[in-house]
Short mmCIF file of all heavy atoms in Angstrom, two decimals:
data_model
loop_
_atom_site.label_atom_id
_atom_site.label_comp_id
_atom_site.label_asym_id
_atom_site.label_seq_id
_atom_site.Cartn_x
_atom_site.Cartn_y
_atom_site.Cartn_z
N ARG A 527 106.99 108.24 116.34
CA ARG A 527 105.81 108.46 115.51
C ARG A 527 105.78 109.93 115.09
O ARG A 527 106.13 110.82 115.87
CB ARG A 527 104.52 108.14 116.27
CG ARG A 527 104.32 106.70 116.63
CD ARG A 527 103.05 106.53 117.45
NE ARG A 527 101.86 106.96 116.70
CZ ARG A 527 100.88 107.70 117.21
NH1 ARG A 527 100.92 108.15 118.45
NH2 ARG A 527 99.83 108.03 116.45
N TYR A 528 105.35 110.15 113.86
CA TYR A 528 105.13 111.51 113.36
C TYR A 528 103.93 111.47 112.42
O TYR A 528 103.62 110.44 111.82
CB TYR A 528 106.35 112.02 112.59
CG TYR A 528 107.62 112.10 113.42
CD1 TYR A 528 108.55 111.05 113.40
CD2 TYR A 528 107.89 113.21 114.21
CE1 TYR A 528 109.71 111.11 114.16
CE2 TYR A 528 109.05 113.27 114.98
CZ TYR A 528 109.95 112.22 114.95
OH TYR A 528 111.10 112.28 115.70
N ARG A 529 103.29 112.62 112.30
CA ARG A 529 102.22 112.76 111.30
C ARG A 529 102.51 113.99 110.45
O ARG A 529 102.86 115.05 110.98
CB ARG A 529 100.85 112.89 111.97
CG ARG A 529 99.73 113.27 110.99
CD ARG A 529 98.35 113.18 111.62
NE ARG A 529 97.91 111.79 111.71
CZ ARG A 529 96.72 111.40 112.18
NH1 ARG A 529 95.86 112.30 112.63
NH2 ARG A 529 96.40 110.12 112.20
N LEU A 530 102.36 113.82 109.14
CA LEU A 530 102.40 114.93 108.20
C LEU A 530 101.04 115.04 107.52
O LEU A 530 100.51 114.05 107.03
CB LEU A 530 103.49 114.72 107.14
CG LEU A 530 104.93 114.68 107.63
CD1 LEU A 530 105.86 114.31 106.47
CD2 LEU A 530 105.36 116.00 108.24
N ILE A 531 100.48 116.24 107.52
CA ILE A 531 99.23 116.50 106.81
C ILE A 531 99.56 117.41 105.64
O ILE A 531 100.06 118.52 105.84
CB ILE A 531 98.19 117.17 107.74
CG1 ILE A 531 97.95 116.32 108.99
CG2 ILE A 531 96.88 117.39 106.98
CD1 ILE A 531 97.08 117.01 110.03
N ILE A 532 99.30 116.95 104.43
CA ILE A 532 99.58 117.73 103.22
C ILE A 532 98.24 118.07 102.58
O ILE A 532 97.42 117.17 102.33
CB ILE A 532 100.47 116.94 102.24
CG1 ILE A 532 101.85 116.68 102.86
CG2 ILE A 532 100.66 117.71 100.94
CD1 ILE A 532 102.05 115.29 103.35
N ARG A 533 98.00 119.35 102.35
CA ARG A 533 96.68 119.75 101.84
C ARG A 533 96.78 121.01 100.99
O ARG A 533 97.79 121.73 101.01
CB ARG A 533 95.70 119.98 102.99
CG ARG A 533 96.19 120.97 104.02
CD ARG A 533 95.27 121.00 105.23
NE ARG A 533 96.03 121.01 106.47
CZ ARG A 533 95.53 120.83 107.68
NH1 ARG A 533 94.24 120.60 107.81
NH2 ARG A 533 96.28 120.83 108.74
N ASP A 534 95.71 121.27 100.25
CA ASP A 534 95.58 122.51 99.52
C ASP A 534 95.66 123.67 100.50
O ASP A 534 95.06 123.64 101.57
CB ASP A 534 94.24 122.52 98.79
CG ASP A 534 93.98 123.84 98.09
OD1 ASP A 534 94.48 124.02 96.96
OD2 ASP A 534 93.28 124.69 98.69
N GLY A 535 96.41 124.72 100.12
CA GLY A 535 96.60 125.84 101.02
C GLY A 535 95.83 127.08 100.65
O GLY A 535 96.18 128.18 101.10
N SER A 536 94.77 126.93 99.86
CA SER A 536 94.02 128.10 99.40
C SER A 536 93.39 128.86 100.55
O SER A 536 93.30 130.10 100.52
CB SER A 536 92.93 127.67 98.41
OG SER A 536 93.49 127.04 97.28
N ALA A 537 92.93 128.15 101.57
CA ALA A 537 92.32 128.80 102.73
C ALA A 537 93.19 128.57 103.95
O ALA A 537 93.64 127.44 104.19
CB ALA A 537 90.92 128.24 102.97
N PRO A 538 93.46 129.59 104.75
CA PRO A 538 94.27 129.41 105.97
C PRO A 538 93.59 128.42 106.92
O PRO A 538 92.36 128.37 107.01
CB PRO A 538 94.31 130.81 106.57
CG PRO A 538 93.96 131.74 105.46
CD PRO A 538 93.04 130.98 104.56
N VAL A 539 94.40 127.63 107.62
CA VAL A 539 93.89 126.71 108.63
C VAL A 539 93.99 127.42 109.98
O VAL A 539 95.09 127.79 110.40
CB VAL A 539 94.68 125.40 108.66
CG1 VAL A 539 94.05 124.42 109.65
CG2 VAL A 539 94.72 124.77 107.27
N PRO A 540 92.88 127.65 110.68
CA PRO A 540 92.93 128.38 111.95
C PRO A 540 93.79 127.65 112.99
O PRO A 540 93.81 126.41 113.02
CB PRO A 540 91.46 128.42 112.40
CG PRO A 540 90.66 128.17 111.16
CD PRO A 540 91.51 127.28 110.31
N PRO A 541 94.50 128.39 113.84
CA PRO A 541 95.33 127.74 114.86
C PRO A 541 94.55 126.78 115.75
O PRO A 541 95.08 125.74 116.14
CB PRO A 541 95.88 128.93 115.66
CG PRO A 541 95.87 130.07 114.71
CD PRO A 541 94.66 129.85 113.85
N GLU A 542 93.29 127.11 116.07
CA GLU A 542 92.51 126.22 116.92
C GLU A 542 92.22 124.90 116.22
O GLU A 542 92.14 123.85 116.86
CB GLU A 542 91.21 126.89 117.37
CG GLU A 542 90.33 127.39 116.24
CD GLU A 542 90.61 128.82 115.82
OE1 GLU A 542 91.75 129.31 116.05
OE2 GLU A 542 89.69 129.44 115.25
N GLN A 543 92.08 124.90 114.88
CA GLN A 543 91.89 123.65 114.17
C GLN A 543 93.18 122.84 114.17
O GLN A 543 93.16 121.61 114.33
CB GLN A 543 91.45 123.89 112.73
CG GLN A 543 91.26 122.58 111.94
CD GLN A 543 90.75 122.78 110.53
OE1 GLN A 543 90.07 123.78 110.24
NE2 GLN A 543 91.08 121.86 109.63
N LEU A 544 94.32 123.49 114.01
CA LEU A 544 95.60 122.79 114.05
C LEU A 544 95.80 122.14 115.42
O LEU A 544 96.27 121.00 115.52
CB LEU A 544 96.73 123.76 113.74
CG LEU A 544 96.74 124.35 112.33
CD1 LEU A 544 97.76 125.48 112.24
CD2 LEU A 544 97.03 123.28 111.29
#
Side-chain angles (χ1 to χ4, degrees):
R527 293 177 61 224
Y528 299 96
R529 170 171 283 182
L530 296 174
I531 304 173
I532 296 104
R533 55 188 136 191
D534 175 83
S536 299
V539 184
E542 56 270 23
Q543 179 177 333
L544 295 170

